[in-house]
Amino acid sequence: MKNYIIIISILLIFTVFLIIQRTYSIESNESAMTTSIQQQLEDDIEISSIEEYDISKSNSKIVLFEYGNKKGYAVFKVNYVNKKLKIIFVKSNILDKNINIIHTNRGNYILLSGNYNEKINYIVVNEGNTKHLFEVALINENFRNLYITLETIPRSLTDTMLNDVLVYNKDNKLVY
């Protein structure tokens, strides 16, 4: 009986290892990430530049890219075992208003993009009768429309709660 348990345990560990190897298959280099983004966009696009932004020492990173006259971003997760990546999602145009929750091993973060006329300093998310205020940081000066929360957000906040986010500038003036 003990031999069966040992054999089943070994097979289970081996299966998990194989699944991880297949799921995290993108090399952590610019060429592989660019190819992965191009495949996700299902377009014959030429990506001209790419920059990486690690999310608070977590297992996730944002990759900023340019193609044509557009700018976009992709979110990747990093596997610490084989140092390879898997793509979570791609946003092809940061000028379109978009809010995503990024789930990392260090907590959840809000990623906010859109065509705003001024710099954003914080956002307010409603959770029932509770209001959550989060400072945001501009990710990169060249990508002026992409912000991320500086601190983790409560796990209770969902994507649907982000539909009514209030966006403010440094003067507490409502931006959006």
Side-chain angles (χ1 to χ4, degrees), residues 55-164:
I55 301 174
S56 188
K57 298 179 184 176
S58 72
N59 66 337
S60 299
K61 66 173 64 185
I62 299 169
V63 174
L64 311 172
F65 62 91
E66 291 184 64
Y67 65 102
N69 61 353
K70 293 184 178 181
K71 296 178 181 183
Y73 62 90
V75 176
F76 289 87
K77 290 237 188 216
V78 180
N79 180 345
Y80 291 121
V81 175
N82 63 8
K83 301 298 183 207
K84 291 190 177 182
L85 309 171
K86 74 175 177 179
I87 196 161
I88 304 302
F89 65 85
V90 175
K91 180 74 175 138
S92 62
N93 188 358
I94 63 170
L95 293 180
D96 297 336
K97 287 192 173 33
N98 193 46
I99 300 176
N100 293 99
I101 294 177
I102 300 175
H103 305 281
T104 75
N105 63 329
R106 306 282 289 217
N108 297 339
Y109 296 83
I110 296 175
L111 184 64
L112 173 74
S113 67
N115 192 10
Y116 301 101
N117 295 328
E118 52 194 300
K119 186 176 177 195
I120 298 169
N121 283 71
Y122 64 93
I123 59 176
V124 175
V125 180
N126 293 316
E127 181 184 19
N129 294 333
T130 306
K131 291 184 186 286
H132 299 280
L133 184 137
F134 302 106
E135 282 188 70
V136 294
L138 190 61
I139 288 182
N140 181 310
E141 197 61 42
N142 296 326
F143 287 76
R144 299 191 59 204
N145 300 298
L146 193 59
Y147 296 85
I148 190 164
T149 52
L150 294 174
E151 67 271 4
T152 59
I153 64 169
R155 293 206 182 268
S156 59
L157 294 182
T158 64
D159 288 319
T160 56
M161 290 178 195
L162 299 180
N163 291 336
D164 299 320

Side-chain angles (χ1 to χ4, degrees), residues 118-122 168-173:
E118 52 194 300
K119 186 176 177 195
I120 298 169
N121 283 71
Y122 64 93
Y168 293 89
N169 66 12
K170 65 179 178 178
D171 299 323
N172 295 330
K173 180 181 157 202

